[in-house]
Amino acid sequence: MEIAIGIGEEKQGFEAGKEAAKQAFKKIAKPNLVILFSSVSLNIPDVLRGVREIFKDCQIIGCSSSKEIAFDRVLDNSCVLMAISSSLTIKTGVGRDFSKDARKAGEELANSLIEGVKEPRGTLFLFSDGVSGNGTQMVKGIYNVLGPYVHLLGGAAGDNCQFLKTYQIINDEVLTDSIVAALLLSDTPIAGVGIKHGFTPYGDPMVITKAEGNRIYQLDGKPAFDAYISHFKFKEKIEPIDFRKIEETHTHPLGSPQMGEEYLIRHFVCANPDRSIVCSAELPENSVVRVMKATKNSLISSASFASKEALASLKGKKAKAVLIFNCISRVWILNDEAGKEIDEVKKVFGEDVPLFGFYTFGEIGQLKEGPPLFHNKSIVVCAII
């Protein structure tokens, strides 16, 4: 497998896409697959046209982003792409109407990828709408069709933190409310993966006593909104309409204990007038949850941990590139030190290994035990061999 990365920093979408593709073209003239991430500050259909000006025939997947990652840089208002040349069979697919039925959309996507494949094995790079749908159900739908021998990796699209509309890219289409993916069929692993978030419990355990999908109605029998904000001693009365304006909602998510020592984190989308809370993906009724906290140091250390875990899983093989799917909400804690996470990844893999990725509205990956999960506030490090 050969890999090349390009960056487009022109202010116009077409020129940015063309510039990124030209940089990658210097190393790979005829890729099998291009993975493309672009800021919504650029016109994404124009970005795609610019890429197609250089790479006319290959398959393309990608999505809109909140920030972009290339080499050792965290970028804003740019597009980045990774061109892959491989002898592996690569199939791309799409699932639509994600907000209507996330599980069905996931199944639709998965079934489109395995037509004619008896027992699928390989790696699936997956990008979903970041402001609609239920990420947990999407992953379940895909996993139930593809089975345990396909490793799911990816993230939910962003929109520069406007939380209004995100975009998914599949070949010559720019979609929304969809899932796009590329399946690289392989009998042996093509990547090593590490996932970590760096959050620890802050409050007493609570039980989700009423929930439906990704909406939590009650915690310990109390309205979810009131039970959550009781952990913070606000002097003024807080109402659900102000939920997203409260800094603590960005920095203190809910976490549910999983196998091992890691918690599964859930980021908040909003609170409703009925005092329920909507999360980016579901936490089932009767789950135990804790309010969580993190520091700059714990987030930076978690990036190092995930990188070392990914490197160790390569079992001595050299990484050709590292993909990073990193939650944009981590930047709200790190602020101007966000680049230190990327520095930690670079330290682990070395200066000669290129980095590539984007800042997400949710991350997809598999811990050592159990099936793949939809994560929040995590960093997923994927080392390709």
Side-chain angles (χ1 to χ4, degrees), residues 241-247 249-250:
I241 195 171
D242 299 317
F243 191 69
R244 291 287 305 171
K245 299 176 184 177
I246 305 168
E247 182 181 346
T249 66
H250 302 298

Side-chain angles (χ1 to χ4, degrees), residues 203-220:
D204 292 332
M206 298 179 288
V207 176
I208 298 175
T209 45
K210 185 178 180 183
E212 184 177 348
N214 56 340
R215 188 169 179 174
I216 301 173
Y217 289 92
Q218 292 182 359
L219 292 166
D220 285 345

Side-chain angles (χ1 to χ4, degrees), residues 80-122:
V80 298
L81 64 78
M82 172 182 282
I84 299 173
S85 176
S86 174
S87 60
L88 298 175
T89 298
I90 302 174
K91 304 181 75 173
T92 55
V94 60
R96 303 173 193 263
D97 298 322
F98 180 46
S99 61
K100 184 177 179 180
D101 190 331
R103 191 178 188 120
K104 184 178 179 182
E107 291 171 349
E108 176 192 347
L109 167 73
N111 281 311
S112 73
L113 292 168
I114 60 169
E115 210 170 306
V117 180
K118 290 184 179 179
E119 187 180 53
R121 293 174 180 266

Side-chain angles (χ1 to χ4, degrees), residues 194-311:
I195 306 171
K196 197 72 173 175
H197 52 65
F199 282 78
T200 54
Y202 169 79
D204 292 332
M206 298 179 288
V207 176
I208 298 175
T209 45
K210 185 178 180 183
E212 184 177 348
N214 56 340
R215 188 169 179 174
I216 301 173
Y217 289 92
Q218 292 182 359
L219 292 166
D220 285 345
K222 302 173 185 175
F225 173 82
D226 298 317
Y228 172 75
I229 65 169
S230 69
H231 288 78
F232 314 104
K233 301 188 183 302
F234 295 119
K235 293 181 180 179
E236 299 178 1
K237 188 176 181 181
I238 306 295
E239 292 297 335
I241 195 171
D242 299 317
F243 191 69
R244 291 287 305 171
K245 299 176 184 177
I246 305 168
E247 182 181 346
E248 283 80 0
T249 66
H250 302 298
T251 58
H252 291 73
L254 291 180
S256 180
Q258 304 295 299
M259 292 176 66
E261 298 179 0
E262 193 75 319
Y263 278 69
L264 182 64
I265 303 294
R266 284 290 170 254
H267 177 65
F268 301 119
V269 175
C270 65
N272 296 311
D274 65 358
R275 311 185 92 74
S276 63
I277 294 174
V278 178
C279 298
S280 60
E282 70 182 54
L283 285 170
E285 205 167 274
N286 297 319
S287 296
V288 174
V289 293
R290 307 277 295 272
V291 175
M292 309 292 285
K293 65 177 181 178
T295 65
K296 289 182 178 182
N297 286 339
S298 71
L299 295 186
I300 294 167
S301 294
S302 71
S304 178
F305 181 95
S307 301
K308 291 174 182 176
E309 192 173 61
L311 180 63

Side-chain angles (χ1 to χ4, degrees), residues 135-166:
T136 300
Q137 289 301 316
M138 171 192 71
V139 170
K140 286 181 178 179
I142 294 169
Y143 181 73
N144 285 347
V145 172
L146 296 184
Y149 302 115
V150 174
H151 299 282
L152 275 59
L153 295 164
D159 66 349
N160 292 6
C161 294
Q162 299 173 65
F163 298 97
L164 297 174
K165 189 175 186 179
T166 70

Side-chain angles (χ1 to χ4, degrees), residues 72-74 296-297 299-304 307 324 326 330-331 334-348 355 359 379:
D72 59 351
R73 299 175 62 191
V74 176
K296 289 182 178 182
N297 286 339
L299 295 186
I300 294 167
S301 294
S302 71
S304 178
S307 301
I324 302 171
N326 198 8
R330 295 166 71 88
V331 177
L334 289 165
N335 297 315
D336 58 359
E337 295 183 54
K340 289 186 176 180
E341 286 189 297
I342 307 306
D343 293 341
E344 290 299 315
V345 181
K346 201 77 176 172
K347 286 178 188 176
V348 171
L355 310 183
Y359 282 80
I379 181 169

Side-chain angles (χ1 to χ4, degrees), residues 123-191:
T123 299
L124 184 75
F125 292 111
L126 166 70
F127 309 111
S128 64
D129 195 324
V131 294
S132 70
N134 185 325
T136 300
Q137 289 301 316
M138 171 192 71
V139 170
K140 286 181 178 179
I142 294 169
Y143 181 73
N144 285 347
V145 172
L146 296 184
Y149 302 115
V150 174
H151 299 282
L152 275 59
L153 295 164
D159 66 349
N160 292 6
C161 294
Q162 299 173 65
F163 298 97
L164 297 174
K165 189 175 186 179
T166 70
Y167 299 90
Q168 299 76 52
I169 300 163
I170 177 76
N171 296 322
D172 296 313
E173 292 185 271
V174 177
L175 309 172
T176 191
D177 194 25
S178 298
I179 317 163
V180 299
L183 174 59
L184 283 68
L185 291 165
S186 174
D187 289 333
T188 57
I190 65 165

